[in-house]
Amino acid sequence: MNMKTVLVLLLLALATIFALVCVLLTRARAPSACQQQPSAQEEADDGHSRVFADLTPEELAQVVQYLRVSLGVPLADAAHAKPSDNCIASVDVQLPAKAEVLRFLDAGGARPPREALAVLYFGAQAEPNVTEYVVGPLPAPTYHRDVTVQKYGGKVPYHRRPALPAEYKQVADFFKKQVFPAAPSFMDQVMEYDGANLAAVTAAPRGSRSGDRLTWFVVFQNVSGFFLHPVGLEVLVDHSSLDLTQWAVHRVFYNGQYYRDMSELERIYVRGGVHVEKVRRASQDGDFSSMRPRAPVAATFPLQYEPQGPRYSIRKNLIIFQAWSFAFGMSVTTGMRLFDIRYNGERVVYEMSVQEALSVYGSNCPGGMSTRYMDSSFGIGRYSSPLVRGVDCPYTATYVDTHTLHEGLSSSRRTAALCIFEQNLGSPLRRHYSNLQLLYYGGMVNSALVVRSITTVGNYDYVWDFIFYQNGAIEGKVQATGYTSSSFFHGNGLQYGNRVWEFLATICTHPVNFKIDLDVGEVKNSLVAHDMAFEVAQAPWNPEQQIERPRLTEKALDTEDQAAFRLHSTMPRYIYFATNKKNKWGHQRGYRIQIISFAGDHIPEASSMERAISWARYKLAVTRRKEEEPTSTSVYNQNDPWTPTVAFADYINNETITNEDLVAWITAGFLHIPHSEDIPNTLTVGNSVGFLLRPYNYYDLDPSIYSPDGVFFTSEQNFMACEVNPITCLSQTASCLPSFPPFTYDGFQNISRL
């Protein structure tokens, strides 16, 4: 064996050893192995966070069992229930009153009893209604109390109930057995209907006055991306009767013309009186609406990973990251929400949650022009999507399952409904290069923690993010994607959108409402506005010289009316929640609210349904916190906006907000005029809105200066030394690739199709 061969074998041996070391290191860095034993403080925090936790499958089962035994009425499975049945629509956690929670968290008080909120549809009663019960204590309930009147001032009429999937299935059956057969020639020759090639999408609200349950259903080709394949047929169905045999067609629309019913459309069609615009039949993959990539697989996109494992920890519903800690949960109706948000152990926010996502469409077709979707009624949390590893979130993110009970007698698991990850945002959080006097560089990577869920409600997908920065700032953000809505193109359609392919991509506005219960330094805060104005002054050193200088303006906003800023009104550029406590420099400690939005008008206030969405009048409204005002809207507003169950405008009644427990209601949104680049999908780029909560004199200096991520070196130091500049040693500390977990996806399991 010559020397060359020995060297080759030696190099191969070294390479093998290095590879084994890499594997061992990455296994040691894997999240499962990286979890340290929790400290006593973390154990205590974990116990405290459970007061906000979602119900477990076991607790949900106990609530259902208790209700079936204790209510004394038969309860049908909501998955198959008729409107005339009694059924459980949903069960969610009933959060304790804030005062009780704070006594437990901050004063060593008793843990509040754990309770559930059950929503029941009573269709088999003499006066059908929706009733809400608080059930407890969990895990072994012994009582239930009707809170409907307490919450809403009266019973909830049955026509306001959100539609169950079972009702949509019954509507689909109604179409197949009664609607389409009433026009056999038209359906065969124009629609080429074969029993499966058409799909109908609901509009909402349902009718034009309280008590109605009349819904326009828009018919599309049943192909991939069917939202972009309208066929010109829309049907108004009266499904107000609890007797399915009494459902009826109230009106029919086809290609710009209205007909009394399908039979009239058939008669006129057979006589040759219908102007037919036959659409090209699309292939099953949707052709232009298909999301299938048009390019072959090439080089893999960039990935990020944590070379020494996650720097955050998750214990049940508690997340700890650097100086941050908070509890998380998922509401069936409003989606992702966070509680007891603390920085350095000090509470900053008690609750941060999504409230509503509204879509108002324009069109010259009846379904489009009458649509005002209020997504909480459909269920922002109920329609949270299973997240795809490596696309919806970074591949190595932590994925969390959720359990909900809605429209059935047993709970369902949503796999990977939430993801948590730390993200290097690719730019410095702060930096300075000094080339004057002293020579040095100081900077810090902007690495933040992201908590994400994605909701798919019909055609739209909303990416919800809560982001935690190392300087004490919090961002709430929503990005919109998915399919744009479309109408059949006819007549003056271009007044309501852009023509794309064979259809009209319809104009829409998307306001989104958030609830932020800030507790800045203490529970009671005040609202203060800072801004600037120019003043003209003489230069002290030269009276003949005039100077225009900006000066600080300050105003205390003392009442709810002063703190309610209309969508297009001028708002001070610095508005902050202030505590009576002061920082080292004598300023009131505070957190500033900064809104990022380009919202369109929600709906004219003269509209008969505007009060149901009156939260969208305001880009910011600050009110006194009240237990009886927990949300800005109600799931019952969708189907009866003319007599809203909750009208947010009533919350604003000029009460004082000085030194009170306050809530900020933030509306951010965007106007969407769809265009050809929205095909097949609207893009998240440019469609991102939300808010920032930023410390404002809350700390004595930027708290990120205490982060271990900071980098600093001078011209006199050896900046190639690891102890001076840790970036130098990345080739050693981050030299091994992680052991990526296998790709899994359960998003197609247990899905019910209409």
Side-chain angles (χ1 to χ4, degrees):
M1 184 179 297
N2 58 33
M3 184 60 68
K4 185 177 180 180
T5 305
V6 171
L7 287 173
V8 169
L9 291 174
L10 181 60
L11 288 172
L12 286 173
L14 288 172
T16 304
I17 293 169
F18 180 75
L20 288 171
V21 169
C22 276
V23 170
L24 291 171
L25 284 173
T26 51
R27 286 180 178 173
R29 293 168 183 165
S32 59
C34 259
Q35 301 295 330
Q36 299 177 354
Q37 290 299 316
S39 66
Q41 180 60 48
E42 287 176 325
E43 290 280 12
D45 291 342
D46 174 28
H48 284 168
S49 70
R50 295 296 291 164
V51 75
F52 303 108
D54 294 340
L55 299 181
T56 65
E58 294 75 21
E59 289 173 324
L60 291 166
Q62 287 293 329
V63 172
V64 171
Q65 181 180 353
Y66 171 84
L67 290 172
R68 298 186 78 178
V69 171
S70 302
L71 291 183
V73 296
L75 294 176
D77 186 339
H80 312 290
K82 299 187 294 292
S84 57
D85 288 332
N86 304 322
C87 66
I88 300 172
S90 67
V91 179
D92 209 341
V93 65
Q94 171 68 22
L95 294 169
K98 182 177 179 180
E100 292 182 56
V101 174
L102 294 184
R103 276 195 296 270
F104 169 63
L105 295 179
D106 301 340
R111 179 186 291 272
R114 191 153 164 79
E115 297 178 320
L117 179 67
V119 178
L120 280 84
Y121 293 178
F122 286 116
Q125 292 188 352
E127 294 184 22
N129 66 88
V130 180
T131 300
E132 296 190 2
Y133 293 108
V134 169
V135 180
L138 300 177
T142 58
Y143 61 81
H144 64 280
R145 60 181 187 275
D146 185 342
V147 295
T148 317
V149 174
Q150 173 189 333
K151 290 177 67 174
Y152 306 118
K155 290 187 175 182
V156 176
Y158 201 51
H159 67 268
R160 294 184 190 175
R161 72 193 186 280
L164 297 171
E167 187 171 357
Y168 288 122
K169 291 177 182 177
Q170 290 150 7
V171 169
D173 193 56
F174 176 69
F175 267 78
K176 192 170 185 177
K177 294 181 178 178
Q178 297 189 50
V179 177
F180 293 156
S185 299
F186 176 84
M187 293 303 299
D188 177 51
Q189 298 167 19
V190 178
M191 296 289 119
E192 298 182 19
Y193 180 58
D194 61 10
N197 65 322
L198 298 178
V201 173
T202 181
R206 308 183 189 283
S208 59
R209 61 182 182 272
S210 292
D212 282 353
R213 204 169 180 85
L214 289 90
T215 304
W216 279 104
F217 288 92
V218 183
V219 181
F220 297 84
Q221 294 189 63
N222 188 17
V223 296
S224 178
F226 67 87
F227 301 104
L228 304 183
H229 293 273
V231 297
L233 178 65
E234 304 184 14
V235 182
L236 180 61
V237 176
D238 182 351
H239 51 125
S240 56
S241 175
L242 305 191
D243 182 353
L244 302 182
T245 64
Q246 298 302 307
W247 288 5
V249 172
H250 201 71
R251 199 75 76 231
V252 172
F253 169 89
Y254 175 70
N255 191 21
Q257 298 297 315
Y258 290 86
Y259 305 89
R260 185 173 59 252
D261 53 27
M262 292 294 287
S263 297
E264 183 181 58
L265 172 62
E266 173 77 359
R267 286 195 302 272
I268 297 175
Y269 170 73
V270 170
R271 294 201 305 262
V274 174
H275 178 64
V276 172
E277 288 283 351
K278 192 172 181 179
V279 300
R280 179 179 59 86
R281 185 160 183 173
S283 61
Q284 194 60 41
D285 74 352
D287 297 332
F288 63 85
S289 64
S290 172
M291 293 182 66
R292 190 183 304 278
R294 280 27 167 208
V297 176
T300 302
F301 47 81
L303 299 172
Q304 71 171 53
Y305 72 101
E306 298 130 326
Q308 294 175 312
R311 303 197 301 178
Y312 58 88
S313 64
I314 305 173
R315 292 187 49 78
K316 296 181 181 176
N317 70 320
L318 174 69
I319 297 176
I320 298 174
F321 167 68
Q322 307 283 50
W324 290 108
S325 68
F326 52 89
F328 67 92
M330 177 76 81
S331 163
V332 172
T333 56
T334 60
M336 186 168 63
R337 54 189 180 182
L338 307 182
F339 297 96
D340 197 25
I341 301 172
R342 302 179 184 231
Y343 191 85
N344 282 329
E346 193 169 40
R347 183 179 301 110
V348 176
V349 177
Y350 179 77
E351 176 188 353
M352 183 161 63
S353 58
V354 180
Q355 293 292 293
E356 185 62 281
L358 171 69
S359 301
V360 178
Y361 288 94
S363 175
N364 61 345
C365 295
M369 73 173 73
S370 61
T371 291
R372 288 93 176 90
Y373 288 135
M374 306 173 203
D375 287 345
S376 69
S377 174
F378 296 91
I380 296 173
R382 181 250 186 276
Y383 285 104
S384 60
S385 299
L387 301 172
V388 173
R389 187 183 291 274
V391 181
D392 292 334
C393 307
Y395 200 94
T396 57
T398 300
Y399 294 83
V400 178
D401 301 345
T402 59
H403 296 86
T404 57
L405 193 147
H406 47 80
E407 300 118 15
L409 291 173
S410 58
S411 64
S412 59
R413 185 182 75 167
R414 181 73 66 185
T415 303
L418 292 166
C419 70
I420 299 98
F421 56 94
E422 185 181 358
Q423 184 171 32
N424 183 331
L425 298 176
S427 61
L429 179 64
R430 50 177 170 79
R431 63 96 68 190
H432 180 67
Y433 164 66
S434 175
N435 60 357
L436 299 174
Q437 306 301 326
L438 299 177
L439 302 179
Y440 63 85
Y441 171 84
M444 178 178 161
V445 64
N446 190 5
S447 189
L449 186 79
V450 182
V451 184
R452 173 175 295 167
S453 72
I454 302 180
T455 298
T456 303
V457 184
N459 56 307
Y460 254 93
D461 295 64
Y462 293 100
V463 183
W464 305 98
D465 285 353
F466 289 131
I467 306 171
F468 295 84
Y469 296 93
Q470 294 191 56
N471 68 326
I474 307 170
E475 183 176 6
K477 182 170 70 173
V478 57
Q479 302 172 81
T481 178
Y483 284 98
T484 186
S485 183
S486 71
S487 288
F488 190 74
F489 185 81
H490 73 96
N492 64 344
L494 291 179
Q495 295 183 19
Y496 306 100
N498 285 315
R499 181 172 183 171
V500 180
W501 294 81
E502 299 174 353
F503 62 89
L504 178 70
T506 51
I507 189 172
C508 52
T509 181
H510 295 275
V512 175
N513 191 241
F514 298 89
K515 176 184 179 181
I516 317 296
D517 181 357
L518 284 128
D519 285 355
V520 179
E522 54 191 338
V523 173
K524 294 187 176 182
N525 296 143
S526 300
L527 195 66
V528 181
H530 280 180
D531 212 313
M532 61 155 284
F534 277 97
E535 64 179 11
V536 179
Q538 293 177 328
W541 62 90
N542 183 357
E544 296 180 0
Q545 181 180 351
Q546 179 176 290
I547 293 178
E548 298 82 18
R549 60 183 177 186
R551 63 176 176 83
L552 176 69
T553 63
E554 181 174 354
K555 181 181 180 181
L557 304 176
D558 297 323
T559 66
E560 290 177 337
D561 286 12
Q562 290 179 333
F565 295 94
R566 296 278 183 145
L567 182 62
H568 298 299
S569 66
T570 300
M571 188 172 81
R573 283 163 282 200
Y574 278 62
I575 289 185
Y576 66 98
F577 274 51
T579 175
N580 288 325
K581 299 175 182 177
K582 296 185 177 181
N583 70 1
K584 185 177 180 179
W585 319 114
H587 298 293
Q588 281 183 293
R589 302 175 68 200
Y591 255 78
R592 175 190 171 199
I593 297 172
Q594 183 176 346
I595 301 172
I596 304 163
S597 176
F598 47 100
D601 296 320
H602 65 303
I603 198 170
E605 283 188 39
S607 168
S608 59
M609 64 176 69
E610 192 275 340
R611 276 175 51 78
I613 50 177
S614 53
W615 52 266
R617 295 178 191 175
Y618 310 97
K619 50 191 167 187
L620 173 66
V622 177
T623 64
R624 290 174 66 169
R625 187 192 187 280
K626 298 177 182 177
E627 289 294 335
E628 60 270 25
E629 296 176 351
T631 59
S632 61
T633 185
S634 166
V635 297
Y636 310 118
N637 283 9
Q638 174 72 87
N639 291 336
D640 190 358
W642 308 279
T643 310
T645 304
V646 172
F648 177 77
D650 293 343
Y651 292 5
I652 301 169
N653 53 13
N654 213 31
E655 289 185 285
T656 179
I657 56 172
T658 300
N659 199 31
E660 298 286 351
D661 189 3
L662 304 179
V663 173
W665 309 89
I666 296 173
T667 298
F670 59 95
L671 170 66
H672 187 202
I673 303 176
H675 43 85
S676 56
E677 292 82 7
D678 283 306
I679 308 305
N681 269 187
T682 293
L683 307 177
T684 57
V685 176
N687 290 316
S688 174
V689 297
F691 63 89
L692 284 160
L693 306 177
R694 299 172 59 186
Y696 187 66
N697 288 321
Y698 190 79
Y699 304 100
D700 295 334
L701 79 169
D702 171 21
S704 76
I705 200 69
Y706 298 106
S707 170
D709 293 346
V711 172
F712 176 82
F713 50 82
T714 72
S715 60
E716 298 177 356
Q717 292 176 296
N718 178 11
F719 51 78
M720 298 301 293
C722 296
E723 61 271 18
V724 173
N725 177 18
I727 302 296
T728 299
C729 296
L730 281 180
S731 60
Q732 300 171 31
T733 58
S735 61
C736 299
L737 290 175
S739 177
F740 288 113
F743 182 88
T744 59
Y745 186 64
D746 295 330
F748 302 136
Q749 303 297 318
N750 303 317
I751 293 294
S752 57
R753 300 185 182 184
L754 299 184

